Amino acid sequence: MNENIKSMCDHLREQAEDYALMEQAKEYALEYMRGVQDRSVFPNDETISNLEVFRESLNDEPSDPYDVIRILHEFGSPATVAQTGGRYFGFVCGGIAPAALAAKWISDTWDQNAGMYVMSPVAGVIEDVCEKWLVELLGLPGGTAAGFVGGSCTATLCALAAGRNSLLDQLGYDVSKKGLFGAPEIKVVLGEGAHSTIYKALSILGLGSERIITVPTDEQGRIRAYAVPELDTRTLLILQAGNVNSGAYDDFAALCKKAREAGAWIHIDGAFGLWAAASKRLGHLVKGAELADSWSIDAHKTLNAPYDNGIVFCRNRDALVNALQMSGSYIVYSENRDGMIYTLDMSRRGRIFELWATLKSLGKKGTEELVDDLHDKAVYFAAALRDNGFQIKNDVCFNQILLSLGDSDSTEKALKLVQDSGECWCGGSKWEGQSVIRVSVCSYRTTYEDIDRSVAAFAAAKEKALSK
Ligand SMILES: *Cc1c(COP(=O)(O)O)cnc(C)c1O
């Protein structure tokens, strides 16, 4: 063996013990954090065109790790969307809770594989703990199982797989063995306002997107209860806690009761809205949601946990595990928690440490106050926009605001001007056939001052959009 020639592994080992590299990374990160409130919320054209530096062919020779992180910071940081600042209202996102960010830094150095207990006892134990905390916090039935996944999209896929298999199983058909060829038909019922990720999950699960029974919704986006077809033991009913546009909630008390009596499987997409269950003031919105069979929710939205933290809940633990087993319908519980039996993945990062840190740092009371605060700020924001001549198209029942200038053309113009201002950022959508602007108040970083500043940007945009 040649002692003088260093292999790549030798170089990497040296780098791993060069703590100054990590100090440098920390400096860059802190610089970003210090500047995020004052910069343009959306990256400007120049910073986006600078991203061209990344479009190079892969270097033959290794790069200096200091160069690697410098390039990322120099060109990557300015081209990020300032989502962790206080004036980002796009889609339904959320900030990053400080304790969770810090926990993420620490647990990144652990690089745990949360697939199985034997790979990471600490991940297994903390997943167990968070499952119990969340079930209680959200008022779900005792014993409900949780799987910790990337987001609601995956959570929905897992939940609907459990629902599909469970319904078919009750009809005497083992779909994990026989596949869908020749399976009894099951009926999928959902509201017109169902999120696109539901359709994605249904199509992956072989339930199609065209055979779905779509129930009309009211002016807020809630399922019209009288239009729900007959439900039975072959029905998968998908409801919504928080319409992605209006934030509206289906009438769970009525719909879940009816569906339960009929023997249907009920899934609730509660990506951001199910968190209302943690609030005494807003809990009425989710009354009856505990009657469902499965739920999907995102901690990276309302709870302000870091990406990516979604959760699938299933009332019947066996149904969830059975659907996600790698070996057909054989439930294998070990003495300790193996996270992979509740999710699609086997190897999985330890996202649970961030979720735990978020919950632990907030506590029950802090979570409730966070949820209430986001709602109060959305109500304030909507009132200020109305005072400035915008039409508010929805009841601001939670944290979503839909606004317009009356016609699609002016609304789209105003939206573009707001986006280009750099003062704040929000997206657009369609509501009742018209273009609307959608504002989501989802970050603890948003202050009343941030809202006033954003409203001023809206007012200026309106002025300009309506001139000539
Ligand atoms: C965000 C959202 C989803 C998708 O969640 P991801 O975490 O992006 O996968 C599904 N449904 C609703 C209502 C949402 O708001």
Side-chain angles (χ1 to χ4, degrees):
M1 264 200 295
N2 191 329
E3 304 278 313
N4 298 320
I5 297 176
K6 279 190 191 165
S7 73
M8 194 61 217
C9 288
D10 296 324
H11 286 295
L12 288 172
R13 245 190 338 269
E14 275 173 17
Q15 289 170 17
E17 284 165 19
D18 176 12
Y19 303 119
L21 176 66
M22 299 305 150
E23 291 292 345
Q24 182 61 69
K26 186 176 111 185
E27 278 312 308
Y28 288 152
L30 293 179
E31 192 184 316
Y32 182 82
M33 289 167 76
R34 288 188 190 106
V36 77
Q37 287 284 53
D38 300 319
R39 45 161 287 194
S40 167
V41 176
F42 199 83
N44 60 32
D45 292 345
E46 189 194 337
T47 56
I48 289 180
S49 61
N50 286 344
L51 290 173
E52 286 305 312
V53 301
F54 291 105
R55 297 189 199 277
E56 54 175 358
S57 43
L58 180 60
N59 35 290
D60 286 324
E61 297 300 318
S63 305
D64 179 350
Y66 284 90
D67 262 346
V68 174
I69 62 168
R70 181 190 51 75
I71 294 167
L72 191 64
H73 180 60
E74 194 175 326
F75 299 101
S77 292
T80 56
V81 174
Q83 195 190 289
T84 54
R87 293 186 309 283
Y88 182 77
F89 309 106
F91 301 91
V92 189
C93 291
I96 185 163
L101 173 57
K104 188 173 189 175
W105 284 3
I106 295 174
S107 57
D108 271 350
T109 67
W110 300 350
D111 198 29
Q112 295 291 279
N113 187 333
M116 288 189 266
Y117 182 85
V118 69
M119 292 168 139
S120 179
V122 60
V125 167
I126 294 182
E127 281 200 2
D128 236 359
V129 168
C130 288
E131 177 182 281
K132 290 190 180 70
W133 284 1
L134 288 164
V135 165
E136 192 195 328
L137 192 67
L138 298 171
L140 302 179
T144 291
F148 299 97
V149 297
S152 277
C153 188
T154 309
T156 300
L157 182 64
C158 296
L160 296 183
R164 179 197 69 178
N165 292 14
S166 215
L167 291 175
L168 290 174
D169 190 50
Q170 281 161 30
L171 293 166
Y173 189 86
D174 185 346
V175 68
S176 40
K177 278 199 191 126
K178 296 181 189 161
L180 279 172
F181 314 98
E185 283 210 12
I186 58 177
K187 185 159 81 183
V188 179
V189 179
L190 47 68
E192 257 173 355
H195 196 269
S196 54
T197 52
I198 304 284
Y199 288 91
K200 175 168 171 163
L202 289 169
S203 93
I204 293 172
L205 289 167
L207 297 171
S209 58
E210 285 184 358
R211 348 175 13 264
I212 296 166
I213 301 172
T214 310
V215 184
T217 49
D218 66 12
E219 75 296 340
Q220 296 297 323
R222 295 171 297 221
I223 283 182
R224 289 189 188 274
Y226 66 80
V228 173
E230 201 181 321
L231 305 172
D232 54 26
T233 56
R234 296 167 173 250
T235 311
L236 208 50
L237 174 67
I238 301 166
L239 304 176
Q240 193 161 239
N243 176 291
V244 76
N245 287 314
S246 68
Y249 293 70
D250 286 326
D251 181 355
F252 305 119
L255 294 168
C256 292
K257 187 164 172 284
K258 183 175 160 184
R260 259 199 109 60
E261 283 165 8
W265 180 284
I266 312 160
H267 176 72
I268 297 178
D269 172 8
F272 63 94
L274 197 58
W275 293 104
S279 156
K280 283 184 274 303
R281 267 173 59 206
L282 299 170
H284 64 95
L285 294 167
V286 292
K287 197 161 163 275
E290 71 284 356
L291 296 172
D293 296 283
S294 58
W295 305 261
S296 44
I297 188 169
D298 280 324
H300 56 229
K301 291 180 178 168
T302 317
L303 194 68
N304 282 248
Y307 285 99
D308 43 4
N309 265 287
I311 308 141
V312 54
F313 291 104
C314 191
R315 171 192 292 272
N316 181 339
R317 184 172 300 265
D318 293 353
L320 182 65
V321 174
N322 246 333
L324 302 174
Q325 282 287 27
M326 287 183 284
S327 54
S329 301
Y330 306 106
I331 293 175
V332 185
Y333 293 115
S334 70
E335 210 169 298
N336 296 298
R337 183 186 173 99
D338 294 319
M340 68 174 194
I341 67 173
Y342 301 99
T343 66
L344 298 178
D345 311 292
M346 183 174 180
S347 291
R348 207 157 45 101
R349 71 187 195 89
R351 58 170 64 91
I352 198 64
F353 307 123
E354 299 146 28
L355 178 53
W356 172 83
T358 311
L359 288 166
K360 178 81 181 160
S361 73
L362 288 170
K364 288 182 203 167
K365 210 159 155 215
T367 305
E368 176 168 20
E369 280 176 19
L370 171 63
V371 167
D372 287 348
D373 210 21
L374 296 175
H375 170 63
D376 290 342
K377 285 182 174 137
V379 169
Y380 174 86
F381 205 150
L385 288 165
R386 194 182 284 117
D387 289 348
N388 278 276
F390 285 89
Q391 296 177 12
I392 305 300
K393 311 299 273 184
N394 65 323
D395 290 341
V396 183
C397 65
F398 189 33
N399 66 331
Q400 301 291 108
I401 310 166
L402 295 179
L403 57 136
S404 88
L405 282 174
D407 67 287
S408 289
D409 216 34
S410 315
T411 304
E412 282 168 28
K413 260 191 217 154
L415 172 62
K416 177 87 173 63
L417 288 161
V418 167
Q419 290 175 338
D420 290 347
S421 74
E423 280 287 282
C424 66
W425 202 89
C426 50
S429 190
K430 291 275 178 203
W431 193 250
E432 297 185 321
Q434 293 280 320
S435 295
V436 289
I437 299 173
R438 178 176 58 177
V439 167
S440 178
V441 182
C442 217
S443 173
Y444 71 91
R445 281 305 282 266
T446 299
T447 60
Y448 286 100
E449 209 175 13
D450 283 320
I451 296 173
D452 290 343
R453 196 168 146 181
S454 303
V455 169
F458 272 94
K462 179 195 143 206
E463 195 88 341
K464 216 163 165 190
L466 294 183
S467 72
K468 74 183 169 353

